[in-house]
Amino acid sequence: MTRLQLHWQILIALVLAVLVGWVTDETTRLFGVRVYPFFEFFGTLFLNALKMVIVPLVVSSIIIGIAGVGNTRGLGRLGGKTLLFYMVTSFAAIVTGLVVVNLMAPGVVSADLSREILETIPSQSQEKLVAIGARDISDLSGVFISMVPPNVIAAAANGQLLGLIFFSLLYGFYLSRVGEPYASAQFTFWQGMMNIMMKITLLIMKFAPLGVFALVAKVIAGMDQSFLNEFAETLGMFFLTVLLALGIHALITLPLMLRFIGRVKPWRHFRAMAPALMTAFSTSSSSATLPMTIECVEKNAGVSNRISSFVLPLGATINMDGTALYECVVAMFIAQLYGLELGFVTQFTIVLIALLTSIGVAGVPSASLVAITIILSAIGLPLEAVGVIIAVDRILDMLRTTVNIFSDSTGAVIIARLEGEEEILTGEKTTA
Ligand code: ASP
């Protein structure tokens, strides 16, 4: 009997999770036992397993990748292309969000309704602000300071990927310059570690259907409906605006780039990336998905480790198209609710801060909310207004994280093609 391919298994798990989450809530019991803690248990187990491999996988794969690039010129070229690609796609995403939110105008509602919405939030927003760690515009530089970690072990322990990436890049660079016998001993050690981490990732992937089911069922079953029901129409329009903008970016802009710059078939890329995309959807974390992203890009899409090890960890932390787009739409939506007519300069400020913060925020659930408080403070709106979107944020987080991962993997494919790799998305490889 042929086994169902992994991406189908995960998709079935996802659909089942939505159904089960829909008919249950935090108190539902089956044979007298509450089901919600089971979702929590298996979901957390899966997330932990993914997080467990991140540090050793990222460090070893960057070191090997960079050591393999060899000369400084090759590295500079690769870095330049990667950063350019990431900037261009994030900018395109933000502009898409800006155009769609201006056209759909989800926050342009009657004065009475907007007053009612804005008055309903402050009651619950203070703890929310503390919980998400709201910042203001003066903290923007702090977002980037973590790039150079004062303590690399602490950076690893706290999941500060950007600092870890910086250190690993330097390590890999000098590994190829320390001379023998150190260079080959080091290379063998890190190569071995990377291979082992990839094998562990493959094992974790086998549990993805169960993990995805538990994570998604938990989110749906635990959804707080009250604010949502009260302002269903306005929040629904906001939801649709984000969905449409994300859809344009992921289903039109990025596939066009795959087709015309990468010269590969976009649907093959979707298929190759399916397990990682569904993991991104269920975990809402680019960082936690990273091991799966690397696995799918290398094994299914056929990109070399030299490219993927550099482009993907960097992408998971600095390239967040969905996040950047979302920040822009939310800031505009809130401004619309306040009845503000934003001029070109203010809209441009929003675009710029969305771009910068999407680079600086971590790939963890709800990271956008922190960035949004920075934008709100920059354009002079109260930070607690971010509470308006909390009710729908969790689901939108799943969607924007999926787009973030799709963009990273698109970057890996396109850059590999630009670097002359031929065997990419030829349709022959697929373990998914
Ligand atoms: N959850 C997103 C990610 O990990 C970040 C965000 O909140 O937008 O990519």
Side-chain angles (χ1 to χ4, degrees):
M1 197 177 81
T2 54
R3 264 187 75 191
L4 204 56
Q5 283 178 314
L6 183 66
H7 58 258
W8 289 118
Q9 292 179 27
I10 304 179
L11 191 66
I12 293 169
L14 202 80
V15 175
L16 280 178
V18 174
L19 295 176
V20 172
W22 201 262
V23 296
T24 58
D25 60 28
E26 290 188 32
T27 57
T28 309
R29 287 169 187 273
L30 194 65
F31 306 118
V33 183
R34 273 179 65 218
V35 292
Y36 191 79
F38 282 95
F39 300 155
E40 247 175 349
F41 178 79
F42 287 109
T44 309
L45 220 52
F46 179 59
L47 255 182
N48 284 359
L50 285 171
K51 289 181 185 167
M52 174 179 81
V53 287
I54 294 176
V55 171
L57 176 63
V58 166
V59 172
S60 60
S61 98
I62 295 184
I63 291 175
I64 291 302
I66 295 302
V69 177
N71 58 38
T72 325
R73 194 141 28 93
L75 197 58
R77 203 184 49 217
L78 186 59
K81 281 181 195 164
T82 308
L83 292 182
L84 183 70
F85 177 86
Y86 285 164
M87 287 300 129
V88 169
T89 52
S90 296
F91 186 71
I94 301 175
V95 172
T96 306
L98 191 65
V99 171
V100 175
V101 74
N102 273 305
L103 291 178
M104 304 263 291
V108 179
V109 293
S110 72
D112 285 345
L113 180 58
S114 68
R115 197 171 330 110
E116 203 186 329
I117 295 176
L118 294 170
E119 274 167 11
T120 313
I121 14 162
S123 57
Q124 5 144 324
S125 57
Q126 225 38 45
E127 315 105 73
K128 291 267 159 56
L129 283 182
V130 175
I132 62 174
R135 311 260 179 92
D136 75 21
I137 183 77
S138 60
D139 294 320
L140 195 55
S141 66
V143 172
F144 290 91
I145 281 184
S146 66
M147 272 188 192
V148 183
N151 178 341
V152 69
I153 307 290
N158 299 327
Q160 280 169 4
L161 272 192
L162 213 49
L164 211 57
I165 290 172
F166 181 72
F167 179 78
S168 310
L169 287 174
L170 286 176
Y171 198 106
F173 183 75
Y174 286 108
L175 188 156
S176 51
R177 283 165 179 74
V178 290
E180 292 304 338
Y182 313 109
S184 51
Q186 280 283 313
F187 196 86
T188 315
F189 170 78
W190 291 107
Q191 176 82 57
M193 181 184 292
M194 188 185 83
N195 293 356
I196 293 169
M197 289 307 134
M198 296 291 275
K199 286 201 186 306
I200 298 182
T201 305
L202 213 57
L203 174 73
I204 300 169
M205 266 171 102
K206 296 210 166 78
F207 293 93
L210 179 63
V212 166
F213 173 83
L215 287 170
V216 176
K218 177 182 153 222
V219 170
I220 309 261
M223 243 165 28
D224 173 15
Q225 302 273 347
S226 53
F227 190 74
L228 191 62
N229 289 343
E230 206 172 331
F231 303 109
E233 206 174 312
T234 313
L235 285 177
M237 264 308 266
F238 164 72
F239 191 95
L240 276 185
T241 307
V242 177
L243 196 67
L244 182 65
L246 286 176
I248 293 175
H249 190 67
L251 302 176
I252 300 177
T253 312
L254 292 175
L256 283 177
M257 294 180 93
L258 278 170
R259 184 77 199 86
F260 293 105
I261 307 178
R263 303 203 170 277
V264 292
K265 295 205 164 69
W267 65 266
R268 281 196 180 149
H269 186 55
F270 276 107
R271 212 176 72 146
M273 292 310 299
L277 295 178
M278 288 186 273
T279 305
F281 181 80
S282 58
T283 60
S284 294
S285 168
S286 298
S287 300
T289 311
L290 185 57
M292 298 273 263
T293 319
I294 296 180
E295 186 73 36
C296 290
V297 164
E298 289 188 15
K299 298 279 161 51
N300 299 349
V303 173
S304 70
N305 175 256
R306 185 179 81 93
I307 303 288
S308 82
S309 66
F310 178 75
V311 175
L312 293 175
L314 206 61
T317 43
I318 71 165
N319 180 46
M320 299 199 180
D321 294 5
T323 295
L325 178 157
Y326 183 69
E327 288 174 23
C328 175
V329 173
V330 173
M332 292 294 296
F333 171 63
I334 292 175
Q336 287 170 353
L337 279 179
Y338 275 96
L340 297 182
E341 278 285 341
L342 296 184
F344 176 76
V345 175
T346 317
Q347 297 209 16
F348 183 73
T349 311
I350 295 180
V351 170
L352 202 67
I353 305 181
L355 191 65
L356 286 176
T357 48
S358 73
I359 296 171
V361 298
V364 296
S366 298
S368 289
L369 298 182
V370 184
I372 290 163
T373 58
I374 296 180
I375 301 186
L376 292 179
S377 97
I379 57 174
L381 289 173
L383 305 192
E384 53 272 14
V386 74
V388 176
I389 46 114
I390 299 272
V392 279
D393 182 69
R394 192 64 181 82
I395 304 278
L396 290 174
D397 199 359
M398 298 162 105
L399 294 166
R400 65 183 184 257
T401 308
T402 311
V403 174
N404 290 345
I405 293 297
F406 188 64
S407 169
D408 298 342
S409 62
T410 299
V413 163
I414 289 183
I415 287 156
R417 294 285 291 136
L418 294 177
E419 287 281 299
E421 293 188 11
E422 299 288 339
E423 298 294 304
I424 292 180
L425 294 168
T426 49
E428 276 139 35
K429 298 186 191 180
T430 176
T431 55

